[in-house]
Amino acid sequence: MKSGRLTISIALLLVLAAGLAVPVFAAEKVRLTFLAHTATEWNNVLKRHISRFEQQNPGVTVEFMTVPHKDLNTKVLTGFVSGTAPDIIGVYGPWMNQFVASGYLSEAPDWAVKDLKENFVPAAISGATFNGKVYGYPQHFGVWGPIANVNLYKKAGLAFPTTWEELMAIAPKMDKRKADNSFEQVGAMLNTETDGSWNVITWANILSAYGVSIVNEDASAAAFNTPGGKAATKVYAALSHPDFGKKAWDMFTLGRVGTYFHGSWTKATSPKGGWPFEIAALPTLKGDRISSAGYVWYWVVNNKTKGAAREAAWRLIQFMSQDPQYIEIYREINLPPMTYSLAKQIESDKWTSTFFDTLKLMKPYYSLKVPNWEEIDLIIGRNLEWLAAKEITVDQFLKQTENQVNKALKRKT
């Protein structure tokens, strides 16, 4: 049920609770609808956050709904077009441009903008800012980085690499092959499964380390067919092992990969019974510069949600993003903190603090100026699969991908 269908007249009082400004909705009832994508551990934490908010705000009730990740964009777009979209929605960063341009999203109130600027890492607000206005609170960041099997490095007597060049020199020393020449152990391996945008994010991170972006500043043309882009793409091709397919993760969990590349949540997704060896997050590898490319998911508020319901919606998504709540996300899913204060609280956790250092450097791998970014993702992802499978060369990849991306950019609306 949309809040826009309700006639609400509510006096809004602010009180201090746990050191935070918490709204109390004590007159007529406010009912909010909330949509997220299905992820069991994540959703369980969100339900606790919502329940806690309802307890502190007895005038508010929240109907929490989920849909599978693959169906979320269609569900949200259909809801916006038909006027039945929920009050609060979790959306992927590349969708923000289209939703803002179409007038679907509520602009953040001044107090939320102040909170985001003062307390969160820069990427929290930059990825939700369009034409100088802010349209969302971060729900989580996808931060990518090198993860080391400490035992293999110790056994090989090798130091951890600090640059891509060092990694490319060290990794082959840890390779082991079977009699049939297939790999028994790999010094370094990218996750190159055919899994949506993930291959593009992986490639974008290597590009970023070499000072290269996927598109130029005004998003008018591809920007990766350069000497730096070629060097980065050679690294991607060399560390891809498509023959493993979905067994790449199994290779790592079995202790047969020296350096694997994935997100901070890797630690929380350990094999049943825990990791059989020691793992560590490594500092972001350097090329020509230290950098990181990642993604942000946002909580946004439907622009059709009005009055006290809109205020309650923004207060709820702020509530979920604050330290007392978000520390549960960190503990249970190992997502890095979004605020400097939470990072300070858990700085002794070297795994998470390393990913937080990477997060402070992060910029979205996608361009905020491209409304059809998912088309760009599909183009690049398909060509990366061909590159990894050695069906095309690095030069062929750069040329044909550049041409296809440029055509897609001309189609942007």
Side-chain angles (χ1 to χ4, degrees):
M1 182 174 182
K2 289 174 60 228
S3 60
R5 296 176 183 169
L6 299 176
T7 301
I8 303 173
S9 175
I10 297 177
L12 189 61
L13 303 175
L14 297 180
V15 297
L16 293 179
L20 301 173
V22 178
V24 176
F25 301 87
E28 297 180 45
K29 299 294 184 180
V30 173
R31 182 173 181 272
L32 299 175
T33 49
F34 189 128
L35 179 66
H37 68 266
T38 307
T40 303
E41 294 84 359
W42 171 262
N43 296 152
N44 288 341
V45 176
L46 294 183
K47 289 176 184 177
R48 292 203 300 270
H49 292 176
I50 291 170
S51 177
R52 198 172 302 150
F53 184 83
E54 289 176 325
Q55 290 170 14
Q56 294 183 15
N57 298 273
V60 179
T61 58
V62 183
E63 179 186 356
F64 181 70
M65 306 169 288
T66 65
V67 295
H69 182 284
K70 64 182 178 63
D71 299 327
L72 181 61
N73 183 259
T74 300
K75 174 77 172 178
V76 173
L77 268 176
T78 301
F80 278 139
V81 172
S82 65
T84 60
D87 300 299
I88 300 171
I89 308 165
V91 303
Y92 187 38
W95 306 342
M96 293 286 285
N97 180 306
Q98 179 185 5
F99 293 165
V100 170
S102 299
Y104 295 144
L105 305 186
S106 163
E107 183 182 344
D110 291 342
W111 57 259
V113 176
K114 183 175 185 292
D115 180 34
L116 289 164
K117 287 181 176 179
E118 292 180 353
N119 300 309
F120 289 73
V121 294
I125 193 168
S126 62
T129 302
F130 297 85
N131 299 318
K133 298 179 179 180
V134 180
Y135 291 90
Y137 251 92
Q139 59 162 281
H140 76 275
F141 292 88
V143 186
W144 180 96
I147 299 167
N149 178 330
V150 177
N151 304 61
L152 283 187
Y153 272 94
K154 289 179 178 178
K155 187 176 181 180
L158 297 170
F160 295 138
T162 60
T163 68
W164 286 100
E165 292 77 9
E166 289 179 3
L167 179 69
M168 298 303 289
I170 290 172
K173 297 178 182 179
M174 303 171 74
D175 290 348
K176 291 183 179 180
R177 293 182 181 269
K178 301 177 183 178
D180 62 1
N181 206 39
S182 63
F183 280 103
E184 179 179 0
Q185 178 175 296
V186 180
M189 181 167 61
L190 303 175
N191 179 350
T192 54
E193 297 177 15
T194 55
D195 187 17
S197 303
W198 192 252
N199 293 345
V200 186
I201 296 168
T202 300
W203 178 63
N205 268 275
I206 306 174
L207 285 179
S208 182
Y210 282 87
V212 179
S213 300
I214 293 179
V215 299
N216 61 13
E217 184 64 25
D218 64 2
S220 62
F224 51 80
N225 194 2
T226 64
K230 184 173 182 176
T233 305
K234 283 183 176 179
V235 170
Y236 183 94
L239 297 182
S240 297
H241 291 278
D243 45 320
F244 292 139
K246 292 188 177 297
K247 294 181 179 179
W249 174 249
D250 295 335
M251 286 282 289
F252 181 66
T253 60
L254 291 170
R256 297 178 183 175
V257 180
T259 301
Y260 191 67
F261 294 83
H262 221 277
S264 59
W265 54 87
T266 301
K267 196 170 186 179
T269 55
S270 61
K272 191 173 183 179
W275 289 102
F277 51 87
E278 182 182 356
I279 60 174
L282 298 179
T284 302
L285 296 179
K286 296 179 288 185
D288 292 335
R289 66 177 183 180
I290 303 176
S291 190
S292 173
Y295 60 87
V296 193
W297 276 77
Y298 286 97
W299 299 124
V300 299
V301 176
N302 188 340
N303 204 26
K304 287 186 177 294
T305 301
K306 303 294 184 181
R310 175 178 291 195
E311 177 74 7
W314 277 104
R315 290 292 181 181
L316 172 55
I317 60 179
Q318 181 203 35
F319 178 82
M320 294 190 301
S321 300
Q322 290 174 331
D323 295 356
Q325 282 65 245
Y326 208 80
I327 197 168
E328 297 178 53
I329 301 292
Y330 149 71
R331 287 172 176 162
E332 299 193 26
I333 309 175
N334 280 131
L335 289 176
M338 304 186 294
T339 63
Y340 294 102
S341 55
L342 182 54
K344 184 69 175 175
Q345 291 179 49
I346 60 177
E347 62 184 352
S348 60
D349 179 346
K350 295 305 180 185
W351 173 277
T352 303
S353 62
T354 298
F355 274 106
F356 182 73
D357 288 342
T358 302
L359 174 57
K360 288 186 291 185
L361 300 166
M362 192 202 88
K363 294 181 179 180
Y365 81 96
Y366 46 90
S367 171
L368 300 176
K369 298 177 181 178
V370 180
N372 60 329
W373 187 266
E374 290 201 325
E375 182 182 1
I376 306 293
D377 265 355
L378 289 172
I379 290 168
I380 298 173
R382 179 179 62 244
N383 288 335
L384 284 171
E385 290 176 28
W386 291 339
L387 174 68
K390 297 180 172 53
E391 294 180 13
I392 56 176
T393 66
V394 168
D395 287 333
Q396 288 172 331
F397 167 84
L398 293 170
K399 183 177 180 179
Q400 74 182 38
T401 307
E402 179 184 42
N403 290 336
Q404 293 168 4
V405 167
N406 284 339
K407 290 178 180 178
L409 290 173
K410 290 180 180 179
R411 291 192 291 272
K412 68 183 180 182
T413 55

